[in-house]
Amino acid sequence: MAGVLLEFVHAHTVSAPVPFVPEVSLFQAEDPIALWEATESAGTPQPPPFWAFAWAGGQALARHILDDPELVAGRSVLDLATGSGLVAVAAARAGATPVTANDIDPLSLAAAQANAQANGVRVTTVEADLLDSDDRYGVVLAGDVFYSREMAGRVLPFLRRAAGRGSLVLVGDPGRAYLPEGLIQRAVYDVPVIEELESMPIRRTTVWQVTAS
C-alpha cells in the first residue's frame, strides 16, 4: 500500500524548491485543480490533497525555524497536520531530533516521507488523530490549522495542553477565519502562494506562539 501511495505522489507532482523556503524542495502539484479532481476520482472518499502544496502557514513556519534553528535544534518536534511535511523537513534540517510528522491522510504521510528523503533528512510519520493525546514533545509546530471552525475547536485545546506541559508551540497562519485570540506574535512574512488556491499571489502570514492560557 505504501508503494501505491508513493506512486500516486510521484505521478501527480514534480519536485521543486519552495518559493519562500528555497533550501527545501517538495513534490508539488503543477496543476492544483487537476490533482484535486484526480484525488476525488480515486474510487473511495479522500481528503483534499493538502499534501501537494506549500501553504502559506507552513512556509512561514519553516522560514522562521530555518532562520532561528535554536528554536528546535536538539529537541523533539511534532509537526501536527503535516500536509506535505514541509515544516517537519525544515525542523529536521534545523537540527531537531526526533521529528514526527503527523496527519490522518495516508497520502500526506507518503508525501512527507518522499520529501524527507529527497531533502536528506530523517522524519518519522504517524497516521493518527492525536488531538486527544497528551504525548510530550519539546516543540509542537502547526502550519495553517485554523481554516475551519471544527478544526480550530479541536486543535487549540491540544496546542494549549502542549504549552502547559512545557512545549514551545508555534503556529503559522495567513489570517484564516478561525484564528483564535490571545496568541503571541513572533514574526510576520509576505509569503508567495498559489493564486488558484488563495485568490491572491502573496499572503501576509504570521508565526504565533500558543501559550497554556
Side-chain angles (χ1 to χ4, degrees):
M1 184 62 178
V4 172
L5 296 174
L6 191 56
E7 287 179 7
F8 187 92
V9 170
H10 284 294
H12 293 87
T13 61
V14 296
S15 182
V18 176
F20 200 59
V21 195
E23 305 97 312
V24 176
S25 290
L26 292 182
F27 290 100
Q28 303 173 63
E30 288 187 293
D31 186 337
I33 305 306
L35 175 58
W36 221 281
E37 292 173 347
T39 305
E40 290 178 345
S41 64
T44 56
Q46 299 288 331
F50 295 129
W51 51 269
F53 313 107
W55 297 92
Q59 288 196 68
L61 201 48
R63 179 76 275 147
H64 191 63
I65 292 164
L66 288 172
D67 287 346
D68 190 359
E70 291 186 3
L71 291 170
V72 300
R75 307 177 74 181
S76 60
V77 165
L78 171 66
D79 178 19
L80 182 71
T82 191
S84 66
L86 167 59
V87 176
V89 169
R93 285 183 61 101
T97 183
V99 177
T100 300
N102 162 248
D103 210 288
I104 60 172
D105 181 1
L107 272 170
S108 164
L109 299 181
Q113 278 289 11
N115 288 322
Q117 183 175 8
N119 286 277
V121 297
R122 182 184 296 274
V123 169
T124 299
T125 59
V126 174
E127 182 186 344
D129 182 341
L130 299 182
L131 296 180
D132 294 321
S133 68
D134 288 304
D135 293 340
R136 292 179 178 271
Y137 299 90
V139 183
V140 176
L141 305 171
D144 224 330
V145 291
F146 297 116
Y147 53 83
S148 74
R149 186 186 302 276
E150 180 183 7
M151 183 68 168
R154 294 202 63 215
V155 167
L156 185 60
F158 172 84
L159 297 178
R160 291 209 186 280
R161 290 200 311 274
R165 292 191 298 273
S167 298
L168 172 65
V169 180
L170 300 177
V171 300
D173 188 271
R176 299 300 185 202
Y178 299 99
L179 177 71
E181 296 181 354
L183 308 184
I184 299 171
Q185 182 175 301
R186 298 285 301 247
V188 180
Y189 306 98
D190 288 324
V191 180
V193 293
I194 299 172
E195 195 163 358
E196 296 102 307
L197 299 177
E198 297 279 14
S199 302
M200 60 184 67
I202 301 290
R203 275 273 188 189
R204 176 63 58 93
T205 305
T206 303
V207 173
W208 301 95
Q209 181 175 347
V210 180
T211 59
S213 60

